Amino acid sequence: MLGSHVQQKGSLVDSDRLRFDFAHFEPITRAQLDEIERLVNEEIRANDSVDTRVMPVQAAMASGAMALFGEKYGDEVRVVGMGDFSTELCGGTHVQRTGDIGLFKIVSEGGVAAGVRRIEAVTGAGALAYVRQTEDRLQLVAELVRGSRDDVARKVEQLQARVKGLEKELEQTVRASRADRAAISAPRQRTSRA
């Protein structure tokens, strides 16, 4: 999706979260992140079996397995395939089928070094907990702005407009007050009567 220059630079894969570091020269757009998330969740719902084979490294590469990390491999490697979507050299998985992952939710993307980006995501129970926490925060904001979750954005926009108006009024009042003080403290010139 981002180009053939992308190369894995590090990762952490746990049963309910992951971190993926990769070479890329600019931040990933919101639309790209949404598309990545959509695509991954589509593959999870496909519920393909996860097939693991150990084979000679040349045979693995010839089979189309991707070596994302650019590291040195031994004579034999572990190849993990998930349907027609992904075949790569991999240390192992936590699932038997892609559907076992449940849900994939990207929680952050950012730079970690020059030319290296990081995506962090939660899966399964971790993703469900993240969604629950996000919904709880949204509900709290809705209550604070005296609205519902459905109209929270409109309510926040109204509050921002009100704050901006009040700040403008305050600025005008402060200016007027300063002008009044300056007028009071200015020495008065006396006029003489002849």
Side-chain angles (χ1 to χ4, degrees), residues 42-44 46-53 63-65 79-88 95-99:
E42 183 177 289
E43 291 303 320
I44 289 170
N47 201 29
D48 288 324
S49 64
V50 176
D51 300 314
T52 304
R53 295 170 290 160
S63 75
V79 178
V80 175
M82 297 182 184
D84 295 331
F85 182 70
S86 175
T87 302
E88 48 191 273
V95 297
Q96 299 292 315
R97 302 188 69 80
T98 59

Side-chain angles (χ1 to χ4, degrees), residues 13-184:
V13 178
D14 210 338
S15 60
D16 62 353
R17 68 186 183 101
L18 67 94
R19 180 183 70 230
F20 183 69
D21 297 345
F22 56 98
H24 191 55
F25 47 83
E26 64 186 357
I28 312 306
T29 67
R30 181 75 249 165
Q32 289 170 321
L33 289 171
D34 289 346
E35 181 60 13
I36 290 166
E37 194 173 274
R38 185 200 65 74
L39 182 60
V40 170
N41 279 304
E42 183 177 289
E43 291 303 320
I44 289 170
R45 285 190 308 276
N47 201 29
D48 288 324
S49 64
V50 176
D51 300 314
T52 304
R53 295 170 290 160
V54 176
M55 62 177 66
V57 69
Q58 282 74 25
M61 297 301 197
S63 75
M66 294 190 336
L68 295 175
F69 200 52
E71 63 186 24
K72 302 285 184 201
Y73 295 98
D75 293 337
E76 290 197 327
V77 292
R78 183 181 174 106
V79 178
V80 175
M82 297 182 184
D84 295 331
F85 182 70
S86 175
T87 302
E88 48 191 273
L89 305 184
C90 180
T93 66
H94 298 277
V95 297
Q96 299 292 315
R97 302 188 69 80
T98 59
D100 296 345
I101 296 167
L103 175 65
F104 172 83
K105 181 71 183 142
I106 295 173
V107 296
S108 70
E109 185 280 336
V112 292
V116 178
R117 308 295 301 172
R118 172 175 288 168
I119 288 179
E120 294 187 79
V122 287
T123 59
L128 292 173
Y130 177 82
V131 169
R132 167 62 33 221
Q133 290 169 352
T134 301
E135 287 181 343
D136 289 347
R137 282 188 215 111
L138 179 60
Q139 183 61 41
L140 176 61
V141 172
E143 290 169 10
L144 290 171
V145 297
R146 296 186 180 127
S148 68
R149 288 199 247 180
D150 293 336
D151 70 351
V152 72
R154 183 180 58 79
K155 290 281 194 173
V156 169
E157 286 172 352
Q158 289 173 343
L159 283 172
Q160 286 176 318
R162 183 168 181 222
V163 166
K164 190 174 181 179
L166 290 171
E167 286 173 341
K168 190 173 182 178
E169 273 183 50
L170 178 62
E171 187 179 315
Q172 290 170 347
T173 302
V174 167
R175 268 195 247 140
S177 175
R178 285 182 185 150
D180 288 346
R181 280 193 307 234
I184 291 171

